[in-house]
Amino acid sequence: MLRLSRKSDYALVALKALRALEPGDALSARELASRFGLPVDLTPKVLARLAQAGLVQATLGKSGGYRLARDADTITVAEVVRILDGDPALAPCREGILECHRIADCDLRNPLDNLQREMMNVLDRMTLANL
Amino acid sequence: MLRLSRKSDYALVALKALRALEPGDALSARELASRFGLPVDLTPKVLARLAQAGLVQATLGKSGGYRLARDADTITVAEVVRILDGDPALAPCREGILECHRIADCDLRNPLDNLQREMMNVLDRMTLANL
DNA sequence: GGAAAGGCGACCAATCTGGTCCGATATTAA
DNA sequence: TTAATATCGGACCAGATTGGTCGCCTTTCC
C-alpha cells in the first residue's frame, strides 16, 4: 500500500510540466516522454485518461499536443490517483472480489473506512499548484 | 495505492481478536484462522512476523498460542503495515529498483515525500485501541 | 511418546501492472 | 489531396508482486 503506481507518477510529472507552459502552448506526448524519460507508448495512454477526465485538453493535428484544461490549483493528487488507479479501497473486502467471511462481527471495517477517508483528505488537499 | 495487503488486513483482524482476550489467555493461529475465515497456513506466518517484531507474544507447546505483548494503545496501524508490507515509498523512484532519469529537474520528489509523511502520520495516530 | 502448538524455508499459483504493438481516426501543413 | 503528426482504443505479452500451500523441525503439555 501507499505506493503511487507508475502511471500516476507519470501523470504527475506530465501535469507538472504542462503547468509550466506558456498560455496557448501545448506539449505532445512524444515530447513529454523524451523530455522526462517516460515510456513512449505509455505516455499517450496516461494523457488520454487525463483528457477523458477533463484535466487536460488535447488538440489533434500536426502541431497538436496537451495543455491543462483547468487551473492548477483545482487539480488534486487525489483526483489524479483516482483517474489512473481507480477508486482505492483500504480494506481488501471492499473491492468486491473478496467476499468477507466475517461480516457478522466485523467491527474493523468502519474504522478502516474512516481511516481511508482521512488519507484521501490528505491527498485532496494537495493540489498541482502547491505540489 | 492505498489498499491494505491481505496480510496486513489479517494481522489487524487477529490483533483485534487478541485484544479482546482475558489477561493470561492465548489464541492459537488455528483458532484465529477458523474463527475469522483466514487462510489456515498463512495465519501462523503473519502472527510469526508480528511476534518477531515484538507486537505479540508466542508461547510454544500444546496449549500455546498468541497474546498481545504490548498495550493496545501503543500498537499503531502504521507499525503493523510497516512490519508486513515493508516501509512504503510513495514515489516509485524511491524504492531503489527504478533509477530516476530526471533527477536533475525533479522537483516532484520532495513534495511527494512530504505527502507520504503526512499520510503515515494519519496511520500513526490510529492505534489498535481506538480502531 | 504422542498430540498440539509455533518457527522456518522453499515453492507454486494467481493476480496485477507496466509496457508494447497495431490499427483507426482526426487534424493540420504543404 | 496527400503526407505527416497527433490522439484514441483494444489486444496482448512479460515481469514483479503477492497470496497461499507444503513439509519439516522444535517446543511443550499430558
Side-chain angles (χ1 to χ4, degrees):
Chain A
M1 72 162 297
L2 206 65
R3 184 173 66 246
L4 235 49
S5 76
R6 299 223 177 145
K7 291 180 185 177
S8 293
D9 189 44
Y10 298 157
L12 290 177
V13 169
L15 286 172
K16 207 158 191 317
L18 293 183
R19 190 189 168 232
L21 247 46
E22 297 293 319
D25 280 4
L27 266 181
S28 72
R30 210 177 297 268
E31 175 70 14
L32 278 168
S34 78
R35 193 181 294 185
F36 296 104
L38 311 181
V40 176
D41 287 306
L42 190 53
T43 306
K45 288 193 178 306
V46 170
L47 273 298
R49 301 273 288 275
L50 295 178
Q52 284 178 341
L55 267 70
V56 141
Q57 188 186 8
T59 63
L60 292 179
K62 188 164 183 180
S63 55
Y66 293 97
R67 80 198 71 212
L68 288 190
R70 301 188 341 215
D71 281 347
D73 56 6
T74 69
I75 297 178
T76 69
V77 175
E79 193 173 2
V80 174
V81 168
R82 218 176 270 122
I83 290 168
L84 288 161
D85 298 347
D87 216 335
L90 195 54
C93 68
R94 284 295 157 87
E95 299 230 297
I97 304 148
L98 178 71
E99 82 286 11
C100 185
H101 300 299
R102 47 189 183 281
I103 298 175
D105 60 350
C106 184
D107 46 358
L108 193 58
R109 297 301 150 235
N110 285 340
L112 283 185
D113 285 349
N114 290 336
L115 195 51
Q116 178 185 341
R117 254 190 299 278
E118 227 180 303
M119 299 187 73
M120 287 308 281
N121 282 343
V122 173
L123 291 182
D124 259 319
R125 279 197 302 273
M126 179 70 77
T127 70
L128 187 57
N130 55 28
L131 195 63
Chain B
M1 70 163 301
L2 207 63
R3 185 174 65 246
L4 235 49
S5 76
R6 297 217 181 150
K7 292 181 184 176
S8 294
D9 189 45
Y10 298 158
L12 291 177
V13 171
L15 285 172
K16 205 155 191 322
L18 294 184
R19 188 184 172 236
L21 246 47
E22 297 293 319
D25 280 4
L27 265 181
S28 71
R30 210 174 300 265
E31 176 69 15
L32 279 168
S34 79
R35 192 180 295 183
F36 296 104
L38 311 181
V40 177
D41 287 306
L42 190 54
T43 307
K45 290 197 175 305
V46 170
L47 273 296
R49 301 273 289 274
L50 296 178
Q52 284 177 341
L55 266 69
V56 141
Q57 189 186 6
T59 63
L60 293 180
K62 186 167 182 182
S63 57
Y66 295 96
R67 79 198 71 209
L68 287 192
R70 302 189 339 216
D71 281 347
D73 56 7
T74 70
I75 298 178
T76 68
V77 174
E79 193 173 2
V80 173
V81 168
R82 219 176 267 120
I83 290 168
L84 289 162
D85 298 349
D87 216 335
L90 194 56
C93 69
R94 282 295 156 84
E95 299 231 298
I97 304 147
L98 179 71
E99 82 287 8
C100 184
H101 300 300
R102 48 190 183 278
I103 299 172
D105 59 352
C106 183
D107 45 357
L108 194 57
R109 297 304 150 232
N110 285 340
L112 284 185
D113 285 348
N114 290 336
L115 195 50
Q116 179 183 339
R117 253 191 301 277
E118 226 181 306
M119 298 187 75
M120 286 309 280
N121 282 342
V122 173
L123 291 182
D124 259 318
R125 279 196 301 273
M126 179 69 79
T127 73
L128 186 57
N130 55 28
L131 194 63

